[in-house]
Amino acid sequence: MGVRLRIGHADGRVEERELGPGSYSIGREEAEILLPHASVSARHAELSVQAQRVVISDSGSRNGTFDPSGRRLSEAYTLLPDQPVRLGGVTLTLLRSIGQAGATRAMPEAPAPQRARGLAEAPTRLELPRQPPPGATLVPPRMSRWLKLIGVSVVLLLGFVSLKTCTALVQAVSAGQGTRSRR
């Protein structure tokens, strides 16, 4: 299983690399992933490409390794697709691979449907639903508990609104009669 990694250099250059399973040192000097920038330590971090995940660990670098939310890593961090981590002035982004949720790939062409041989084509018929056998009891489909809860909530809400409306109407009518009787 290979992964694709996008490297955003501090000078604006962007490159992509395909990495197979294994462990890769990242740094400014003598590293498998060489990042020649002053903000990157000589041995900055370690990247581990595993079967189901890619993990980065800071190697005690001076300028640190930061997760996508900007927190400095103090332990191993699992990279998430399209979520860049920062090493000094450089970013590393795990790209979605083919077959991964959210990734795209070309779909194979479906073979054309074949017709049955030897049968004459008959016009299509609309089939009616089958009737239950005589004496069978019909059971309505089950309603989910959430749907029941929502229905009861709506009924209670409507009842409450109606009650408030009626109360306000009664108060308005009572207030109107009180002013008429004073005149």
Side-chain angles (χ1 to χ4, degrees):
M1 174 203 104
V3 298
R4 287 186 0 210
L5 191 68
R6 177 181 296 136
I7 302 170
H9 292 276
D11 63 3
R13 289 182 301 119
V14 176
E15 66 176 288
E16 289 184 12
R17 293 199 189 167
E18 186 81 27
L19 301 174
S23 186
Y24 300 86
S25 61
I26 303 171
R28 187 180 67 237
E29 301 171 1
E30 299 179 22
E32 291 152 318
I33 300 176
L34 193 62
L35 305 174
H37 191 266
S39 66
V40 177
S41 298
R43 294 186 178 264
H44 197 103
E46 191 77 21
L47 189 73
S48 175
V49 178
Q50 302 168 4
Q52 297 295 320
R53 63 189 189 144
V54 178
V55 178
I56 191 166
S57 302
D58 190 88
S59 300
S61 64
R62 178 175 290 172
N63 291 327
T65 304
F66 298 86
D67 70 9
S69 63
R71 288 187 299 263
R72 188 173 186 148
L73 300 184
S74 57
E75 56 188 27
Y77 176 79
T78 301
L79 295 180
L80 301 171
D82 302 322
Q83 300 280 323
V85 294
R86 187 171 52 84
L87 294 81
V90 179
T91 60
L92 298 180
T93 306
L94 176 66
L95 300 176
R96 292 186 188 276
S97 58
I98 300 299
Q100 187 176 18
T104 58
R105 66 176 165 174
M107 296 295 291
E109 275 190 46
Q114 296 181 355
R115 295 184 181 178
R117 294 184 182 159
L119 296 175
E121 285 189 40
T124 318
R125 277 190 352 188
L126 177 64
E127 287 192 29
L128 297 174
R130 294 186 182 179
Q131 296 295 323
T137 57
L138 295 177
V139 178
R142 292 191 61 197
M143 187 183 307
S144 77
R145 289 181 181 172
W146 284 108
L147 190 57
K148 288 178 186 176
L149 182 63
I150 290 171
V152 168
S153 299
V154 167
V155 168
L156 288 173
L157 181 64
L158 290 173
F160 179 75
V161 169
S162 297
L163 179 65
K164 284 292 194 179
T165 305
C166 289
T167 304
L169 185 60
V170 167
Q171 287 175 349
V173 168
S174 298
Q177 286 178 352
T179 55
R180 285 185 187 159
S181 60
R182 289 184 194 151
R183 289 184 187 173

